[in-house]
Amino acid sequence: MLFRSGRLVEQTKQGEPVLVDDFRELIDRPDVDAVFGTMPDHWHGVIFARALEAGKDLYGEKPITRSIAEGAEICRLVRRHGRIFQTGTQQRSWKQFRHACMLARNGYLGHVSRIEVAVPGGRAYPAVAPCPPPAGFDYEMWTGPSPLLPYDPQRCEWLAMYMISHYCAGFVTNWGVHFLDVAGWGCPEVLTAPFTAEGTGRMPSGGMTDTWIAWQMLLRYPSGLAVSFSNDDNPHPHGTRFVGDKGWVWVNRGEIKAEPASLLSVEFRDSDEQLHRAPPYDDAVTAHIADFFRSVRTRQDPGAPVEVGHAASTLGNVCDIGLRLGRPVRWNPVAGEFPDDPQANALRHRPLRSPWAM
């Protein structure tokens, strides 16, 4: 099921798409068992919640939701209704990412004390004059739970919508979730332990966008683990690098490198901790989707279950909140809150425009 320009597209058995103006028309159908949620980020919470309450299994694109509170609610609904949820972090179904994380998990790098993560930075867009929406485009429906602002020619388009905080927290989350998730796959502490986040960022100086163009964040954990998270080449190259006292491994979608290079040819032992293995497709997206369908059949969690997706999404949101407050913040993932910090805790939520609610 795809959400494009205010419409949902369902692929029928005959291959002909059925178009509807309201996603609820499809979600409420008893003959629909599973939903692919690929709508813009600001719609994730509302549509995912409605699908789960209707008893549907979900392949949900990342980040799980626009806000931390919405993500926590989706986790609750998945378990309450006994649904399968696969987060669209397909790098967990990518062979080279699995190899890198197996090295980190099983001591081949020695003690891992530092992880470096870098993803594409944001960009600014100039403000343009409002105009009527194109004929046939339901802009009010596209806006959904976000504030209804005057339409302009670039607001709803890729890439500008990812840079507007009403719809997305920017690439600090939307891209960040992919490689922060890899950091957590290789070192579970990244996703499960409390941490302090601090750093600096740069916003657009004007125009219509209001998310981070560049940032340098440092996440510090009680064990001494440090995660350095930035936009690409500021200073880290694109990808995730695990640094241990016996070696390092760096991986992105294009390549994997290690020191010593022999780490790349390690054949893991049966006694090593094994990470989830997706069905054997060369293409990671196909493998990730096949993993979802396998879970629908078996009722066993897929490789990127909802709690993992929420935790990885939250890392970027915590960084965004700390940057917006202009100070360090502490996050407790078990409690799901910033301890003794009402100002930061208030930013876990965002108001939803009526009549949309979770």
Side-chain angles (χ1 to χ4, degrees), residues 51-289:
L52 293 166
E53 289 165 349
K56 313 305 181 186
D57 293 326
L58 264 171
Y59 183 106
E61 277 299 349
K62 33 50 61 185
I64 287 291
T65 53
R66 172 61 187 85
S67 72
I68 294 173
E70 290 175 9
E73 176 64 6
I74 295 303
C75 290
R76 186 186 70 83
L77 289 173
V78 167
R79 300 310 170 188
R80 176 183 177 184
H81 296 285
R83 297 296 91 200
I84 295 298
F85 192 109
Q86 172 81 309
T87 310
T89 44
Q90 70 270 20
Q91 290 171 175
R92 288 199 173 217
S93 295
W94 212 305
K95 295 175 183 177
Q96 65 202 41
F97 287 98
R98 184 176 185 274
H99 186 90
C101 292
M102 288 277 287
L103 291 174
R105 282 261 193 141
N106 289 291
Y108 290 93
L109 307 178
H111 174 66
V112 175
S113 61
R114 182 175 176 85
I115 305 173
E116 299 167 355
V117 177
V119 300
R123 58 175 291 187
Y125 279 79
V128 297
C131 65
F137 176 56
D138 189 344
Y139 175 57
E140 197 278 340
M141 185 66 170
W142 184 92
T143 300
S146 292
L148 185 60
L149 303 174
Y151 175 83
D152 66 65
Q154 61 187 6
R155 176 170 300 276
C156 305
E157 296 182 359
W158 191 93
L159 187 65
M161 68 178 179
Y162 290 125
M163 306 300 157
I164 301 170
S165 63
H166 291 310
Y167 317 128
C168 176
F171 275 2
V172 72
T173 59
N174 188 278
W175 245 112
V177 62
H178 279 296
F179 286 95
L180 291 168
D181 179 59
V182 171
W185 203 25
C187 290
E189 178 183 359
V190 171
L191 302 180
T192 60
F195 63 87
T196 298
E198 60 181 314
T200 59
R202 178 166 60 89
M203 279 276 190
S205 59
M208 66 180 295
T209 54
D210 61 347
T211 58
W212 303 101
I213 293 177
W215 63 90
Q216 292 180 338
M217 294 297 293
L218 187 63
L219 282 55
R220 298 182 184 274
Y221 292 80
S223 69
L225 176 67
V227 177
S228 180
F229 174 41
S230 71
N231 58 294
D232 287 347
D233 302 316
N234 184 32
H236 311 304
H238 178 72
T240 299
R241 187 167 86 114
F242 299 95
V243 182
D245 56 12
K246 294 182 180 179
W248 57 261
V249 62
W250 168 77
V251 63
N252 65 24
R253 295 181 182 182
E255 57 186 323
I256 180 171
K257 296 180 179 179
E259 180 61 41
S262 58
L263 290 167
L264 300 180
S265 58
V266 165
E267 294 190 10
F268 297 107
R269 302 179 293 266
D270 291 342
S271 58
D272 284 334
E273 181 180 3
Q274 302 297 313
L275 296 180
H276 185 92
R277 191 187 295 272
Y281 290 89
D282 290 335
D283 175 69
V285 174
T286 301
H288 207 58
I289 292 171

